[in-house]
Amino acid sequence: MEFRCFTARASRRLRDLRTNVGVGAPVGDLTSLSADEARARARTYTGIWDTGATNCVISSKVANECSLVPIGVTRVHTANGEDLAKVYRVSLCLPNGIVFPAVRVSEGKLGSCDVLIGMDVIGSGDFAVSADQ
């Protein structure tokens, strides 16, 4: 079994966990793209890892720049209340090269990032936060 991991280091205490994340067209049954092609074609955005989010969210900037086509609409629950949001399928490319080939994401207002990585991705592996202090 092959294990893949990555470590993000910081010189100070962090208020949030941020990494680059690639976003692109879905891979596999939905397209003829391979994981390697998805990595090569993905656009890089700042992602925040959010254990309080059930699912991943992208900004309208990501949807527009990646020329994504909505596959539907869903009701979302945010800190600001309930709303309707467009839904897309995308490939997500993590900093360690792992590709999640067809993640269902909703579009939302994210403020200081363009991708919110939720528990649908985080929960598929081991996730640890530790301090060097």
Side-chain angles (χ1 to χ4, degrees):
M1 177 185 293
E2 180 183 355
F3 291 95
R4 297 182 122 189
C5 63
F6 67 91
T7 301
R9 299 204 184 275
S11 59
R12 58 180 170 74
R13 184 174 295 243
L14 301 174
R15 295 183 53 132
D16 53 35
L17 302 173
R18 293 173 184 259
T19 63
N20 286 339
V21 60
V23 178
V27 178
D29 294 341
L30 303 175
T31 70
S32 60
L33 287 178
S34 70
D36 287 337
E37 290 170 318
R39 273 190 291 276
R41 293 183 184 185
R43 291 177 175 257
T44 302
Y45 296 97
T46 299
I48 289 183
W49 296 72
D50 187 349
T51 59
T54 305
N55 297 302
C56 295
V57 181
I58 60 171
S59 67
S60 58
K61 172 185 169 184
V62 173
N64 292 332
E65 288 182 1
C66 293
S67 302
L68 300 175
V69 177
I71 60 168
V73 174
T74 191
R75 185 168 305 281
V76 294
H77 302 273
T78 71
N80 295 321
E82 202 172 284
D83 203 358
L84 292 176
K86 294 177 187 173
V87 176
Y88 305 90
R89 286 229 187 261
V90 301
S91 61
L92 287 181
C93 307
L94 302 185
N96 60 351
I98 293 287
V99 175
F100 285 80
V103 178
R104 185 178 182 270
V105 299
S106 59
E107 183 179 322
K109 296 176 184 144
L110 296 176
S112 66
C113 70
D114 287 305
V115 180
L116 187 141
I117 303 163
M119 288 303 295
D120 53 337
V121 168
I122 296 170
S124 67
D126 293 327
F127 182 77
V129 177
S130 58
D132 290 336
Q133 302 169 359

